[in-house]
Amino acid sequence: MQTHQYDVVIVGAGGAGMRAALESSTRARTAVISKLYPTRSHTGAAQGGMCAALANVEEDNWEWHTFDTVKGGDYLVDQDAAEVMAKEAIDAVLDLEKMGLPFNRTPEGRIDQRRFGGHTRNHGEAAVRRSCYAADRTGHMILQTLYQQCVKQDVEFYNEFYVLDVILTHDLTAGEVPAGEEVAVAGVVAYDLATGEIHVFRAKSVVFATGGAGKIYKTTSNAHTLTGDGMALALRRGIPLEDMEFFQFHPTGLAGLGILLSEAARGEGAILRNSEGERFMERYAPTIKDLAPRDMVARAMANEVREGRGCGPNKDYVLLDLTHLEPAHIDAKLPDITEFARTYLGVEPYTEPVPVYPTAHYAMGGIPTTIDAEVLRSNTDVVRGLFAAGEVACVSVHGSNRLGTNSLLDINVFGKRAGIAAARYAETAPWHEMPDDAATPTVEYIERLRDHATGERIADIRRDLQETMDRNAQVFRTADSLTEALADIAALKKRYRDASVQDKGRRFNTDLMEGVELGFLLDLAEVVVVGALAREESRGGHFREDFPSRDDEKFMQHTMAYLRPGAGGEGTVELDYKPVIVTRYQPMERKY
Amino acid sequence: MTALAETTETSTEAGAVPSFDVTLRIRRFDPDTGAEPRWEEFTVTAHGTDRVLDAMHKVKWEVDGSLTFRRSCAHGICGSDAMRINGRNRLACKTLLKDLDPSKPIVIEPIKGLPVIKDLVVDMEPFFASYREVMPFLITNGNAPTKERLQSPEDRARYDDTTKCILCAACTSSCPVFWTDGQYFGPAAIVNAHRFIFDSRDEGAAQRLEVLNDKEGVWRCRTTFNCSEACPRGIEVTKAIQEVKRAMITRAF
Ligand SMILES: Cc1cc2nc3c(=O)[nH]c(=O)nc-3n(C[C@H](O)[C@H](O)[C@H](O)COP(=O)(O)OP(=O)(O)OC[C@H]3O[C@@H](n4cnc5c(N)ncnc54)[C@H](O)[C@@H]3O)c2cc1C
Ligand code: FES
């Protein structure tokens, strides 16, 4: 075992983690721990853009952007946080440009902007050009640019290290902290993939930036490595998770594969059609049609398929039609995603429409934080020194449905805020005791998984989990489907306890790490389903067929899910609720 | 949504390529076991649109969990899974089995020129060290404007190709000069230098060209074009290297 000490430890080297590192490493001694090489992070897969009301190509302002974010999130957004994000968006984009990000340009040489779903002028009048972009590889450019700056600043990385535990001064799992006592972070425990060795990092501040959890579903745009590690680690240590039932299904995944075709395609004019060739979005969102928010488009597509207007031999997808766009325009604006269609489906987008179906894309929920990225351990109290930013966090700027381009924005705005806040806190904060046996639970966990002589394969359990989630907790949900999912997850958790991995070695044991990641997925899937079952309404990304309308009276509040010790060693998920912060906008019906 | 669950099984019919068996012949090595590197064959059933990565996952998830390789995004964007497939460097997640003649074993080895850690996993540190040496970041002197720096679409287009790099090392590890001389910066580092040298906003070209003028720099390139062929992002690597060489002589960029 090795030990280290840093003022600030950042867990995750995607967009949020590196943006935080750029701030914190100039102010405090900082280490970034990442299970992937930084440039392998899934921020690099983001395509369409990052929005900010720069008004470079048409009139726009941050207030309109705030409104769109709140309305897009179906009024579950904390409006103070959305306002911060929309205001700071402008500097966030300019910061990136100054770091060298190669944005596409207008003829005048300014940063170009394009349309994206749910972003409108003057509170819904018409689509507005707000998304700043670099072809259809905006995330790639953000990730590269931030990494380049980290190289320049000589940021210290621990790559291919998996953080497997976070150490707090108090045990929060029982839910009781003596009155007047402050809970603080003491550090993290990590596993070095190359050697199998355990490293304990003592730190005054810890920033979680571990990204999303799309792998709880089978069909997803997320990477194999997006297993919700940070969320699950926090949950296991008694920290609540907020609004986890809200998962975004992106309308246009390549049918059967889930690989994303950015909304930028529709922003540039592509149209969704059913088997009758009908532009069906005209029926669902007469004003902005194909550019309605994702939850609405995804449901519309699923509904077309359900009602028998799907395409293909099994009538199980719809078509994204780009054939009326100029090939040169497609090549200039959408080169990567059209190549995905060619490579993976053998479809030529110049001349043939592309088969698409909704794909699990984005976790709106996550670790609850304040607007300074401090982690909340209850509706009101924070864990001192613990921060979270990016997809792992829930500020909440996305409410029940995130608008396209608002996540690349989120990771930059709140990544920066987290980095500054973490370093500032570390300046004056005391060191907290790191118990001698801090690593024991982690060591026991991985040894049990590795040393089980025989047992079921991890992959089989994971597949069954992903299948039940796709079947029962996807675009359409009911009490029955969710109850079934919950029963399945309970059974899978039992199987997981007796699972084993084949690779018994210490060196680069990815088999073992997949086993650990499955444990995270199982915990998170349960939280998603328990929250979804309790939320007897439909809002944003969460649609209950048995409760098809929004119920502001009962449910205009955030879900706060806690894992409490239960019978037989398995925890049980308990729910509480937290009020939504409303400043300017009273809830209205969401029409587009 | 049952519709979705079924999609995965049946969408392969869209391309009308039926299921078939493939044999993967994989180079295995785990220094901890003390055994010498060896070849091992696995036969799995694949579907029409499966990629090499899918077949490798099948082996790992259903046959031998100890088979070790890196991967993350699974669609050619993160750069984790460059490997030598039938003698050519490619990304496993972007190489369709049906394009490889599945009637013969598909030969899979780690990329060359970097130390093997285990099976297909190599130590990427020497590769990233060369990358860092070319100062792969925007260098500017003096005052930044309050708003964005202006750049015309034409100036932006000048370096577009080299911004696509995902640092997978397919190019560098396909280069015969790199195989024999691990000190050579390699094509990827030069590509990333190019990305800044030809960026109209950058003022560090002279410094970078100095670095690349080193005896382990661009002049070692023998224009064998392996790198351009290997690049999974379609970057014209050799052209970029030629442009850097030219800039070195003419000092025009
Ligand atoms: C295909 C696709 C396209 C998208 N397009 C857009 C878009 O156009 N616009 C937009 O706004 N949003 C888009 N999004 C969403 C957006 O890209 C993501 O939400 C965002 O990039 C997440 O960034 P992050 O920094 O939070 O996480 P990631 O970039 O996922 O980084 C997570 C980091 O955490 C590390 N990590 C995870 N677990 C551990 C652990 N246990 N120990 C140590 N390290 C760990 C990983 O190594 C990684 O470095 C898209 C998403 C996808 C999937
Ligand atoms: S897994 Fe990301 S490039 Fe292949």
Side-chain angles (χ1 to χ4, degrees):
Chain A
M1 193 174 86
Q2 295 192 33
T3 55
H4 311 264
Q5 182 161 312
Y6 289 90
D7 294 327
V8 179
V9 162
I10 295 169
V11 186
M18 289 204 282
R19 191 67 191 80
L22 290 176
E23 298 301 327
S24 119
S25 64
T26 57
R27 297 170 166 90
R29 191 154 174 270
T30 301
V32 182
I33 308 178
S34 177
K35 71 178 181 181
L36 301 173
Y37 263 91
T39 56
R40 313 292 181 224
S41 304
H42 212 54
T43 291
Q47 303 166 354
M50 163 168 170
C51 58
L54 298 181
N56 273 5
V57 287
E58 59 180 317
E59 186 187 357
D60 198 7
N61 64 61
W62 62 257
E63 191 273 320
W64 294 353
H65 182 185
T66 310
F67 173 79
D68 290 337
T69 301
V70 171
K71 180 180 172 191
D74 220 350
Y75 296 91
L76 201 71
V77 170
D78 285 329
Q79 298 184 9
D80 56 341
E83 185 168 324
V84 162
M85 185 170 80
K87 278 184 184 157
E88 293 181 11
I90 294 159
D91 275 342
V93 167
L94 296 178
D95 281 355
L96 288 170
E97 196 283 328
K98 284 173 193 160
M99 291 178 198
L101 197 138
F103 284 108
N104 276 45
R105 301 288 175 151
T106 66
E108 300 75 43
R110 316 279 304 273
I111 295 170
D112 197 12
Q113 301 191 270
R114 66 177 163 204
R115 297 187 184 93
F116 237 83
H119 290 282
T120 69
R121 53 170 284 111
N122 196 18
H123 313 101
E125 257 174 36
V128 76
R129 291 172 64 179
R130 187 177 289 148
S131 165
C132 310
Y133 65 100
D136 55 357
R137 18 180 193 267
T138 315
H140 165 74
M141 299 299 194
I142 289 179
L143 193 70
Q144 295 291 327
T145 301
L146 293 174
Y147 183 61
Q148 291 156 4
Q149 292 297 308
C150 286
V151 168
K152 184 176 178 194
Q153 282 191 29
D154 214 4
V155 171
E156 199 174 343
F157 287 100
Y158 289 84
N159 294 328
E160 298 185 324
F161 274 59
Y162 287 66
V163 169
L164 299 182
D165 203 357
V166 52
I167 308 299
L168 308 178
T169 53
H170 290 67
D171 177 10
L172 296 180
T173 54
E176 291 298 318
V177 174
E181 280 188 30
E182 280 200 337
V183 178
V185 74
V188 297
V189 179
Y191 172 92
D192 176 5
L193 183 62
T195 62
E197 204 180 353
I198 296 287
H199 292 243
V200 174
F201 290 80
R202 196 172 175 216
K204 290 182 177 176
S205 296
V206 171
V207 181
F208 269 125
T210 52
K215 279 288 156 182
I216 57 177
Y217 291 98
K218 177 174 170 185
T219 308
T220 175
S221 65
N222 282 198
H224 286 288
T225 47
L226 284 176
T227 47
D229 306 13
M231 299 173 189
L233 294 180
L235 181 76
R236 289 174 183 180
R237 284 292 174 190
I239 292 165
L241 295 181
E242 180 173 346
D243 290 341
M244 289 295 285
E245 63 270 33
F246 296 103
F247 211 95
Q248 177 166 83
F249 298 90
H250 192 294
T252 52
L254 284 183
L257 296 172
I259 296 172
L260 193 77
L261 298 187
S262 170
E263 199 169 292
R266 281 170 288 138
E268 298 291 350
I271 289 169
L272 289 164
R273 298 189 189 280
N274 59 22
S275 59
E276 291 158 15
E278 183 204 7
R279 182 181 194 178
F280 58 86
M281 280 312 298
E282 284 179 337
R283 269 187 281 123
Y284 296 88
T287 314
I288 55 176
K289 305 185 179 87
D290 298 87
L291 285 175
R294 290 176 179 172
D295 59 317
M296 295 179 126
V297 182
R299 268 196 304 279
M301 290 166 66
N303 200 49
E304 290 301 299
V305 165
R306 266 212 310 204
E307 293 182 354
R309 291 185 296 278
C311 308
N314 301 300
K315 297 175 145 307
D316 55 4
Y317 53 78
V318 300
L319 295 171
L320 182 70
D321 185 0
L322 292 83
T323 56
H324 54 288
L325 303 179
E326 281 297 317
H329 184 70
I330 293 178
D331 289 347
K333 300 294 177 75
L334 307 166
D336 279 11
I337 60 172
T338 43
E339 195 192 313
F340 295 153
R342 286 182 200 114
T343 307
Y344 296 116
L345 288 185
V347 168
E348 174 47 66
Y350 294 158
T351 53
E352 297 166 85
V354 185
V356 290
Y357 199 76
T359 181
H361 186 55
Y362 184 85
M364 265 76 72
I367 302 174
T369 71
T370 66
I371 54 177
D372 288 316
E374 303 158 287
V375 170
L376 288 163
R377 62 179 165 86
S378 68
N379 285 3
T380 47
D381 299 313
V382 302
V383 177
R384 305 282 285 160
L386 186 59
F387 303 83
E391 193 168 336
V392 70
C394 180
V395 186
S396 147
V397 285
H398 308 303
S400 59
N401 172 58
R402 170 175 75 81
L403 289 189
T405 69
N406 261 351
S407 175
L408 290 178
L409 177 59
D410 173 2
I411 63 178
N412 277 284
V413 167
F414 292 100
K416 178 175 180 178
R417 283 179 159 251
I420 295 172
R424 273 217 187 110
Y425 173 78
E427 266 170 33
T428 54
W431 290 100
H432 290 286
E433 192 68 30
M434 180 61 94
D436 288 342
D437 61 352
T440 307
T442 306
V443 172
E444 284 173 355
Y445 192 100
I446 57 181
E447 281 181 355
R448 183 174 49 92
L449 203 54
R450 187 173 48 203
D451 299 341
H452 254 228
T454 56
E456 203 183 347
R457 285 174 187 276
I458 294 297
D460 292 339
I461 303 173
R462 185 176 51 214
R463 187 197 54 236
D464 289 354
L465 171 71
Q466 292 168 338
E467 280 177 359
T468 189
M469 290 300 285
D470 267 19
R471 201 167 51 241
N472 296 314
Q474 220 233 17
V475 176
F476 293 116
R477 301 164 171 184
T478 64
D480 285 346
S481 75
L482 293 166
T483 308
E484 187 178 314
L486 206 52
D488 287 348
I489 293 166
L492 290 165
K493 282 190 153 182
K494 279 215 185 71
R495 284 164 59 187
Y496 178 65
R497 252 183 287 166
D498 296 322
S500 96
V501 299
Q502 278 77 53
D503 192 338
K504 306 292 183 195
R506 300 199 168 265
R507 170 184 289 253
F508 223 95
N509 191 339
T510 52
D511 199 20
L512 178 63
M513 285 302 109
E514 285 190 34
V516 172
E517 290 170 335
L518 174 61
F520 299 145
L521 293 175
L522 286 164
D523 284 357
L524 295 177
E526 182 176 359
V527 175
V528 169
V529 174
V530 170
L533 197 53
R535 188 172 282 275
E536 296 183 330
E537 66 155 354
S538 292
R539 181 188 296 271
H542 169 70
F543 191 83
R544 286 282 300 262
E545 291 187 86
D546 39 0
F547 298 94
S549 31
R550 198 173 81 192
D551 181 352
D552 285 340
E553 204 151 308
K554 266 171 85 183
F555 287 109
M556 203 176 117
Q557 43 183 351
H558 300 292
T559 305
M560 298 285 272
Y562 295 82
L563 189 66
R564 298 288 184 221
E570 287 292 346
T572 52
V573 177
E574 287 177 15
L575 300 183
D576 193 5
Y577 291 90
K578 187 175 82 160
V580 174
I581 297 172
V582 176
T583 56
R584 296 165 184 262
Y585 311 108
Q586 287 308 314
M588 300 187 303
E589 194 194 342
R590 203 165 56 124
K591 274 206 200 123
Y592 285 92
Chain B
M1 268 310 299
T2 45
L4 185 62
E6 283 159 20
T7 312
T8 317
E9 304 307 321
T10 52
S11 67
T12 52
E13 288 168 21
V17 191
S19 297
F20 51 91
D21 283 353
V22 280
T23 299
L24 307 183
R25 186 172 153 76
I26 303 179
R27 188 75 170 163
R28 304 289 310 265
F29 178 49
D30 181 354
D32 286 355
T33 63
E36 288 296 303
R38 65 187 196 284
W39 291 99
E40 201 169 346
E41 290 196 2
F42 302 93
T43 301
V44 292
T45 304
H47 298 290
T49 54
D50 279 357
R51 299 153 262 169
V52 171
L53 182 64
D54 296 311
M56 293 176 71
H57 270 147
K58 262 205 148 167
V59 173
K60 185 172 182 69
W61 293 342
E62 294 169 16
V63 185
D64 181 353
S66 72
L67 177 66
T68 302
F69 47 92
R70 292 190 179 100
R71 52 75 178 126
S72 183
C73 73
H75 65 282
I77 196 71
C78 76
S80 295
D81 60 342
M83 46 192 85
R84 227 170 132 77
I85 301 171
N86 285 353
R88 235 190 88 187
N89 281 1
R90 321 174 200 233
L91 298 176
C93 67
K94 226 182 155 176
T95 307
L96 269 64
L97 292 167
K98 68 177 169 64
D99 296 339
L100 285 180
D101 182 10
S103 65
K104 289 201 219 109
I106 294 170
V107 181
I108 303 174
E109 307 158 77
I111 47 176
K112 284 177 44 169
L114 293 161
V116 178
I117 295 177
K118 181 173 165 186
D119 293 348
L120 300 160
V121 174
V122 298
D123 179 3
M124 295 287 285
E125 193 38 42
F127 171 81
F128 278 102
S130 297
Y131 166 77
R132 287 193 295 266
E133 275 202 51
V134 301
M135 296 181 283
F137 39 78
L138 191 75
I139 297 176
T140 56
N141 308 310
N143 306 334
T146 37
K147 295 206 80 181
E148 71 262 44
R149 287 192 184 79
L150 299 182
Q151 181 167 59
S152 70
E154 296 69 41
D155 283 344
R156 164 69 179 73
R158 186 70 190 83
Y159 64 101
D160 184 64
D161 200 36
T162 44
T163 63
K164 292 191 267 180
C165 176
I166 54 174
L167 298 169
C168 67
C171 60
T172 296
S173 63
S174 74
C175 172
V177 180
F178 180 76
W179 295 338
T180 50
D181 175 7
Q183 299 299 309
Y184 170 47
F185 284 146
I190 303 172
V191 159
N192 281 280
H194 177 284
R195 180 249 168 273
F196 289 101
I197 292 169
F198 294 95
D199 184 336
S200 59
R201 299 168 297 175
D202 185 79
E203 297 166 53
Q207 283 163 270
R208 269 188 214 97
L209 290 173
E210 199 56 46
V211 174
L212 291 170
N213 203 11
D214 183 271
K215 68 178 187 342
E216 304 296 353
V218 284
W219 303 114
R220 304 227 48 191
C221 165
R222 287 194 264 114
T223 328
T224 45
F225 284 94
N226 285 22
C227 50
S228 294
E229 274 164 41
C231 179
R233 304 282 290 156
I235 300 172
E236 295 180 88
V237 181
T238 313
K239 181 171 165 224
I241 297 175
Q242 291 301 92
E243 288 181 353
V244 170
K245 285 181 179 169
R246 207 173 312 125
M248 205 97 90
I249 296 163
T250 61
R251 296 278 151 173
F253 32 81

